Structure formats: C-alpha cells, structure tokens
Amino acid sequence: MAPDTERALLLQQLKNYLMFLRESGHTHVPLNSELSELPVMATLSGTFHDSSPQPLESRMVPKSPFTKPEDDGKPSSGLVDVREELGDCERCKLCETRQTIVFGSGNPNADLVFVGEGPGADEDAQGLPFVGRAGKKLTEIIEKGMLLDREKDTYICNIVKCRPPGNRDPEKDEVEACKPFLIKQLKAIRPKVIVALGKPAASTLLGRTVPITKERGTWHEFEGMKLMLTYHPAYLLRAYTLENRQAVYDDMQKVLEVLKA
Ligand code: URA
C-alpha cells in the first residue's frame, strides 16, 4: 500500500476510534508527552491542555461511561459490542454519502431512551445525535419539561445511524439494514422507558404504520420494555402550536410517572 494511502487509512481509523470514544461519553484522552513529565490531555473536541489541577489518577484514567453508578448494577458493556459489530458500516447505501456514523449518545445505563429518525447535517458533521435545531428542542423537552439531565438521565439514538442525503426519509432497505443494531442497542441498555419520536421511529419499533397523531401519548411494548409514542421535535418546530407542545408535555409527564414508580 502506498505510504499516503496507508497514512490516510490510519488517520481515518484513528478518527473513527476517537468518535467512538466521544459517542461513548469520554471527554478526554490521556497522551504521553515528551515535553513534560505530566500527561497532556486531548479533549475530544480537538484542543489540548495540561490538566495539572486534577489528581494524576483522574487524568490518566478517563472515567468509563460503561461503569455503572453504584446504585443500580445493570450491565451495559453490551453497547460497546454493538458499536464494534457495526464497525465502519457499509450495509446500505447511506454509507456512500455520510460523513460519520451517528451511533448514539448519553448514559448507556439510562432508564430512558429516545429514538429519533436519522441524523441530519449537524449530526452527520459532529457524529452525535440531536445536536441541531431539533436537538435543541429535544434538550429543552428533557431539561425544562421533564427536569432531567440529557447526558446523565437519557440515551439518544436513531433508527438509522447515517444521514439520508438531503434529509429525506430513510428508505425501507436502509431501515431494515440498521434495525438490528437499534434493537441490540435497546436490549443492551434495557431502559425502563423508550420514547419513539415521530412516526418513522414509532412505525419501525412497532413494525406497522403508526398514525402518530392518533397514537401519540399511548403506551406500547417493545421487547419487554415500555414504549411511549410522541411527536418528533422537528415536527413541533414546524407546527409550533400550543396544542402540540401541550401534547408532548403530557406524554413526557406519563413517562416521568413510570420512571418514578
Ligand atoms: N432528527 C433525528 O431524527 N435525529 C437526529 O439525530 C437529528 C434530527
């Protein structure tokens, strides 16, 4: 292999690995610096800094998001295996146009998982789900409407992990190719509640065409987990009526009741 090609391949692999760490919740990677005895930290957003004020131990060992908080004891390393199995996926044509695989983000041990449709341009660029306008709305629903912390209390993913070009709806073959990974993700997390955001997510999880206006606010079951259907935040932004906002608020209060039970 030509040195340039090999270098490009290695850089791509490194980028994918760093994206994977960031998606998994890591924020820093310890680096051995030849310039200083102290390790230098690279943040996964791309900047470098000396983290001297923190104790050495905490600088050397990034906190694993896969370590469960002491209080619950659910295993979650399954999510790492799912991401590894997905690899540098080429199972459908979306791989030809995507920048990044958007696997999911948040707490891999969360009791609450939101499932959206597919990454948009912002998500494709950043490798993280719901970071654009719809993402801001979703964060508002979680943090202001439910008084939860998006990163600590929820995990967020999509039915397809790669951006459909031009933000078109994902096609049947694309959903079919990606669905096994969504199912494995949900089974690995096994949250108390899954929330399907919008018709494509609801229809994919229930295996039938869901009339979301009629069925939002209703409880269903997915692989033994409780499933709530609600509007997609992008729909809320398009149809920003009091009635629609109230509907989502009401649906999320139902979710909170189950989470607190
Ligand atoms: N819309 C989605 O359905 N998912 C995202 O990640 C972003 C916008």
Side-chain angles (χ1 to χ4, degrees), residues 5-36:
T5 319
E6 195 173 1
R7 188 168 170 273
L9 200 66
L10 280 171
L11 284 173
Q12 186 58 49
Q13 281 170 351
L14 177 63
K15 184 181 165 200
N16 288 349
Y17 181 62
L18 292 173
M19 297 294 300
F20 169 57
L21 289 179
R22 194 178 68 173
E23 286 164 18
S24 311
H26 290 276
T27 53
H28 296 80
V29 195
L31 302 177
N32 288 328
S33 166
E34 288 168 7
L35 301 174
S36 152

Side-chain angles (χ1 to χ4, degrees), residues 122-123 126 129-145 150 156 232-234 236-237:
D122 295 313
E123 290 77 19
Q126 295 184 44
F130 282 98
V131 288
R133 269 189 82 220
K136 286 207 179 80
K137 182 46 76 189
L138 179 59
T139 306
E140 191 185 302
I141 292 166
I142 295 168
E143 305 211 330
K144 297 208 176 120
R150 172 173 161 155
I156 301 177
H232 193 288
L236 273 193
L237 291 171

Side-chain angles (χ1 to χ4, degrees), residues 6-243:
E6 195 173 1
R7 188 168 170 273
L9 200 66
L10 280 171
L11 284 173
Q12 186 58 49
Q13 281 170 351
L14 177 63
K15 184 181 165 200
N16 288 349
Y17 181 62
L18 292 173
M19 297 294 300
F20 169 57
L21 289 179
R22 194 178 68 173
E23 286 164 18
S24 311
H26 290 276
T27 53
H28 296 80
V29 195
L31 302 177
N32 288 328
S33 166
E34 288 168 7
L35 301 174
S36 152
E37 284 174 13
L38 288 170
V40 171
M41 302 292 283
T43 72
L44 292 177
S45 57
T47 53
F48 291 82
H49 64 91
D50 174 1
S51 54
S52 315
Q54 294 166 313
L56 187 64
E57 269 166 38
S58 67
R59 280 181 280 147
M60 294 302 288
V61 186
K63 191 173 168 294
S64 168
F66 303 112
T67 309
K68 300 271 311 164
E70 296 84 61
D71 56 343
D72 60 15
K74 279 194 284 179
S76 65
S77 59
L79 208 49
V80 183
D81 298 338
V82 183
R83 181 62 188 87
E84 271 176 15
E85 190 188 338
L86 183 65
D88 197 15
C89 187
E90 293 184 353
R91 292 170 182 82
C92 84
K93 57 189 175 302
L94 293 181
C95 70
E96 291 159 19
T97 46
R98 68 155 189 251
Q99 299 285 322
T100 343
I101 294 177
V102 181
F103 184 65
S105 75
N107 181 351
N109 303 307
D111 281 338
L112 176 59
V113 173
F114 288 94
V115 179
E117 184 177 329
D122 295 313
E123 290 77 19
D124 185 44
Q126 295 184 44
L128 292 167
F130 282 98
V131 288
R133 269 189 82 220
K136 286 207 179 80
K137 182 46 76 189
L138 179 59
T139 306
E140 191 185 302
I141 292 166
I142 295 168
E143 305 211 330
K144 297 208 176 120
M146 306 179 82
L147 302 179
L148 297 178
D149 183 293
R150 172 173 161 155
E151 288 307 310
K152 280 200 218 130
D153 298 322
T154 77
Y155 187 85
I156 301 177
C157 57
N158 285 299
I159 53 177
V160 293
K161 313 292 184 227
C162 299
R163 182 191 181 205
N167 293 350
R168 63 160 169 76
D169 289 348
E171 291 169 2
K172 197 164 176 273
D173 59 314
E174 297 157 358
V175 174
E176 286 311 313
C178 225
K179 190 172 171 182
F181 293 94
L182 172 63
I183 296 174
K184 286 181 190 185
Q185 267 178 308
L186 294 172
K187 284 185 172 174
I189 302 168
R190 207 154 261 294
K192 278 190 188 161
V193 177
I194 301 166
V195 175
L197 298 166
K199 179 177 177 134
S203 303
T204 299
L205 290 172
L206 290 177
R208 63 179 169 85
T209 305
V210 173
I212 194 72
T213 316
K214 272 203 196 134
E215 294 200 37
R216 62 132 279 271
T218 57
W219 284 110
H220 300 262
E221 203 208 278
F222 181 80
E223 301 277 349
M225 293 167 268
K226 289 192 160 65
L227 170 65
M228 168 58 65
L229 315 183
T230 196
Y231 291 139
H232 193 288
Y235 171 74
L236 273 193
L237 291 171
R238 284 198 306 275
Y240 202 65
T241 64
L242 191 58
E243 193 188 353

